[in-house]
Amino acid sequence: MTVYTIDEDWTVDLPPATTPALLWGAVEADEEPRAVVTLQVAMTRDMLAVALDLAAGNDRSNPDTWTVQRIREDVEFSLASNPIPSLQRDAETFADLLDDPSVRDRIQAEYRAIDRAYPLYAPKES
């Protein structure tokens, strides 16, 4: 784990960052990028699931069939398209959808997809 200092009184241990799946912005042949800005967002499992759900939109295919690449691209798309505070707010109640029989199977499959694409980090013992 990497220790990040949030402020002088608060540090947090975080898993390593995942490599970005997509490049946004100046990607046309006639555009000259001036900088690549990297944004790190520490996301909970619920935040990841919300981001995946938002990106999937009306795609009714089974999340159990989605590749890790597709899942990560969808999450990054949501981060590029939605305010992070909105994702945080929605994540607070997202798991409650598991109580709704009409969407339970879909939400469970989205959580399984997140678990495949972003497995729980277990640091190596030294």
Side-chain angles (χ1 to χ4, degrees):
M1 292 254 181
T2 303
V3 177
Y4 285 89
T5 301
I6 306 301
D7 64 35
E8 62 186 41
D9 298 319
W10 184 25
T11 59
V12 62
D13 291 336
L14 297 174
T18 58
T19 304
L22 300 172
L23 176 63
W24 299 91
V27 293
E28 299 298 324
D30 62 341
E31 297 176 318
E32 185 176 332
R34 163 118 356 159
V36 175
V37 177
T38 302
L39 172 67
Q40 293 191 55
V41 181
M43 298 181 72
T44 65
R45 183 174 185 244
D46 291 327
M47 285 178 69
L48 290 163
V50 166
L52 180 61
D53 186 71
L54 288 170
N58 293 326
D59 181 349
R60 296 289 89 191
S61 63
N62 185 343
D64 289 321
T65 66
W66 297 347
T67 66
V68 166
Q69 179 75 18
R70 186 253 166 101
I71 296 162
R72 289 185 175 187
E73 287 177 3
D74 281 359
V75 167
E76 289 180 24
F77 175 80
S78 282
L79 283 172
S81 306
N82 297 283
I84 293 169
S86 294
L87 294 174
Q88 289 174 302
R89 185 181 56 252
D90 291 347
E92 293 172 5
T93 58
F94 191 74
D96 295 345
L97 293 173
L98 293 168
D99 297 332
D100 181 343
S102 69
V103 294
R104 179 181 303 125
D105 290 344
R106 174 65 176 208
I107 301 304
Q108 287 174 332
E110 289 176 352
Y111 274 113
R112 287 192 300 270
I114 290 303
D115 291 342
R116 279 195 326 279
Y118 301 96
L120 189 60
Y121 177 70
K124 294 180 183 176
E125 304 247 348
S126 2

